[in-house]
Amino acid sequence: MAGRTPSRVPGAAPGVIRAAIYCRISLDRMGDRVKVGDQEKLCREVAARRGWTVVGVYPDNSRSAWQRNRKRPQWDAMLAAVDRGEIDAIIVYHGDRLIRQPWDLELLIDLADQRGIRLASPTGDRDLDNPDDRYILRIEAASACRESDNTSRRVRRAHERQAEAGISPCSRRPYGWDDGGRAVRPAEADVIREAADRAIAGEPWSRIARDLNTRGLLTSTGAAWTHTTLQRMLLRPRNAALMGTAMNPRVDQAGTWEPILDRDTWELLRRTASGRAEPYAHRTNAPAHLLSGIATCEPCGMPLRAGGTTTRAGNGEQRRTQTYVCDNPTCQGRAHIAMHHLEDYVVGAVLRRLSDPRLAAALTATPKSDAGRRLAALEARREQAVEEFGEDPDMPPALLKKMLRQLSEQIDAARAEIEATRTRHILTDYIGLSLEQWENLLLDRQRALVRATVTVAVRPTGRSTGRRFDPGRVHVEPRAIEVG
């Protein structure tokens, strides 16, 4: 083919064609590079037949060439080498490995106008300086682009048909399920339920992830859990037999498989993750003491924080005592109390509450709730009302406001009903808990049990009590148990 001699950088041997090999496969789920390796082998055979010198191999594994927003790092690196005059020719297994979009070709042609680049493959050569070859390449690029668009349309329509039939496709095996994402793996399902209960009870996601890793319970791909991957897995709608993804759940569309988590549990997980489930939501600055933020100062109602007081013993030695204190500067009483005395007293009240037969009866009598389903339907109705009537000039504002207020009240009621089921998740496994068992629990679970069973208020120190612990200063009230 006719064409000008490729340009060279200083020091390049005359007559030597410096070739780059570009390899690509669109998806390589298991990290298998055999297909890319086969492409490189065939391209090296092409270079050997032509007497070209291979100066670089640029493999893009699992990279799409037709998506506009998809980066191809090795493609970009190769173009940079062409622009620097370090490459005279590009060898590729097939044209669609190199170019699937017209703008890729035009970028190459622009570089060819400056540098003079040849393209080669096992099926033949193309000269980017030759008008006829440019014409053929542009037709091939347009055809590849059209095929990509058709494939995308077919895949999208197939997914829509699956969604309409209540089938949620999965590209890789989801944890808790078989490869098709429809049959439950019992052992992994048990892990999902355990992790869900722990998260709902207030245990930090990262701590749950570390514990699972320590026990050798890894992800479906054999990787270690992280805060992010654990949360994404637990919030996956598939677990509750719903369509969509963790980031975009379709709560109004049910799947056709059996759930691992009931709907209310899944909704509680969503509320826990979003931070709207106070006072049980996980914070990154998790308290280090049992009653910090739980016990309150009776005069002002503010939560007590951990602190300390220093006293001097008769022998002159200083003694540091940990306390719970009110640090509200406007409080007239500012309660403070020895930490170990208050904790021992409250733990006794919690264990008595957990041994109360009435509590066990209330938990076992809990009816099946459909609050999660109702909440999803109500939220969808509210969004639809805003979308349909928000800018409708014929809709009286007062009527729209009334409609939205009624929906919001029903949504709040459904959320409260779901939140009430949190108590069941926290308490069910701890009825009749002993002191020894209590001491073996993690602090997060202990705090969750305190929150779920009692309220604690501390009165200021009276003149007659001095520094002695006075149980009369501590008001511990059993919480009313509403479990849905």
Side-chain angles (χ1 to χ4, degrees):
M1 294 181 181
R4 72 171 182 270
T5 302
S7 60
R8 304 191 179 283
V9 294
V16 175
I17 301 297
R18 299 160 301 170
I21 295 175
Y22 182 75
C23 311
R24 179 183 65 82
I25 59 175
S26 296
L27 186 61
D28 190 1
R29 290 192 181 96
M30 304 306 293
D32 182 6
R33 301 179 63 86
V34 174
K35 291 184 179 179
V36 165
D38 287 345
Q39 292 180 29
E40 180 182 342
K41 179 181 177 181
L42 291 171
C43 290
R44 285 190 179 275
E45 293 174 356
V46 170
R49 287 197 297 269
R50 286 162 174 73
W52 295 353
T53 299
V54 176
V55 295
V57 179
Y58 299 86
D60 270 325
N61 238 25
S62 301
R63 300 287 176 171
S64 171
W66 70 270
Q67 291 183 345
R68 298 189 181 206
N69 61 347
R70 183 63 56 83
K71 298 294 184 183
R72 289 194 282 165
Q74 293 299 306
W75 160 266
D76 294 336
M78 183 180 68
L79 293 186
V82 170
D83 192 42
R84 293 192 299 268
E86 299 170 1
I87 296 173
D88 308 314
I90 297 173
I91 308 174
V92 65
Y93 171 69
H94 190 278
D96 66 1
R97 299 297 89 189
L98 184 70
I99 299 166
R100 292 300 294 267
Q101 291 288 0
W103 59 82
D104 288 335
L105 176 59
E106 296 307 320
L107 184 57
L108 273 179
I109 289 175
D110 183 60
L111 287 173
D113 288 339
Q114 306 171 43
R115 300 294 182 182
I117 296 295
R118 296 175 66 179
L119 295 181
S121 74
T123 58
D125 292 10
R126 296 291 183 193
D127 189 341
L128 290 173
D129 283 336
N130 187 298
D132 290 335
D133 281 0
R134 290 189 180 196
Y135 173 72
I136 296 300
L137 285 168
R138 283 178 170 130
I139 291 176
E140 290 176 347
S143 177
C145 184
R146 179 187 178 190
E147 180 58 31
S148 292
D149 289 343
N150 288 339
T151 300
S152 176
R153 185 166 53 253
R154 288 194 297 268
V155 170
R156 187 167 57 250
R157 181 54 189 146
H159 286 174
E160 290 173 353
R161 286 195 298 269
Q162 288 179 318
E164 291 168 359
I167 301 173
S168 179
C170 51
S171 58
R172 66 177 61 183
R173 187 181 78 79
Y175 189 84
W177 308 85
D178 65 3
D179 290 332
R182 296 179 65 78
V184 172
R185 291 196 171 190
E188 292 182 357
D190 288 342
V191 173
I192 290 175
R193 297 186 188 101
E194 175 198 333
D197 284 341
R198 292 169 67 177
I200 289 171
E203 189 171 341
W205 301 90
S206 55
R207 180 177 296 169
I208 301 172
R210 287 194 300 270
D211 177 57
L212 295 180
N213 294 335
T214 300
R215 292 156 57 188
L217 303 172
L218 305 180
T219 71
S220 61
T221 61
W225 292 105
T226 66
H227 172 288
T228 301
T229 57
L230 177 66
Q231 188 178 95
R232 186 181 298 130
M233 182 276 290
L234 290 177
L235 296 181
R236 191 175 50 204
R238 182 183 301 276
N239 295 337
L242 296 172
M243 305 295 291
T245 64
M247 299 299 294
N248 185 29
R250 300 171 65 173
V251 295
D252 58 339
Q253 188 168 8
T256 55
W257 57 90
E258 289 297 317
I260 291 177
L261 301 176
D262 63 70
R263 183 63 174 271
D264 285 357
T265 300
W266 184 73
E267 289 288 353
L268 276 174
L269 279 171
R270 292 180 70 198
R271 289 171 59 77
T272 300
S274 66
R276 291 181 296 162
E278 294 294 349
Y280 297 99
H282 163 60
R283 298 181 180 89
T284 54
N285 56 333
H289 301 282
L290 179 65
L291 300 176
S292 295
I294 297 178
T296 61
C297 173
E298 187 172 87
C300 68
M302 295 294 291
L304 301 183
R305 66 169 180 83
T309 58
T310 302
T311 58
R312 188 176 298 275
N315 58 6
E317 292 183 358
Q318 288 187 340
R319 180 181 300 169
R320 179 74 174 174
T321 303
Q322 286 187 300
T323 61
Y324 287 109
V325 298
C326 172
D327 59 358
N328 178 10
T330 64
C331 179
Q332 299 298 315
R334 302 193 70 174
H336 67 277
I337 193 168
M339 183 178 292
H340 68 282
H341 285 316
L342 180 62
E343 290 184 352
D344 288 347
Y345 187 75
V346 171
V347 168
V350 170
L351 295 180
R352 286 192 297 275
R353 182 67 171 140
L354 291 173
S355 299
D356 190 334
R358 292 170 296 180
L359 176 61
L363 293 175
T364 56
T366 303
K368 183 67 176 178
S369 171
D370 67 342
R373 194 175 304 278
R374 285 188 284 110
L375 175 62
L378 289 166
E379 288 178 333
R381 284 174 56 190
R382 184 171 63 179
E383 292 179 6
Q384 183 180 6
V386 172
E387 183 177 345
E388 290 186 5
F389 304 116
E391 297 183 3
D392 186 349
D394 297 327
M395 167 61 74
L399 181 59
L400 177 60
K401 185 176 180 180
K402 179 180 179 180
M403 179 191 305
L404 295 178
R405 184 177 65 252
Q406 291 174 341
L407 286 171
S408 295
E409 290 173 352
Q410 295 177 59
I411 287 171
D412 289 342
R415 285 176 176 167
E417 187 175 331
I418 291 173
E419 194 62 38
T421 67
R422 185 182 299 273
T423 304
R424 184 183 70 238
H425 283 281
I426 294 171
L427 299 182
T428 298
D429 294 334
Y430 298 98
I431 296 299
L433 190 71
S434 68
L435 178 59
E436 181 180 1
Q437 292 170 324
W438 169 272
E439 291 173 345
N440 289 328
L441 295 178
L442 294 174
L443 177 64
D444 302 283
R445 185 54 61 105
Q446 291 176 341
R447 287 174 55 83
L449 289 172
V450 173
R451 284 190 186 277
T453 53
V454 298
T455 61
V456 183
V458 179
R459 301 185 181 97
T461 303
R463 292 182 180 179
S464 61
T465 59
R467 297 186 180 278
R468 292 182 294 103
F469 175 69
D470 178 10
R473 293 179 52 213
V474 183
H475 184 207
V476 178
E477 185 72 22
R479 283 190 183 274
I481 303 298
E482 297 178 3
V483 288

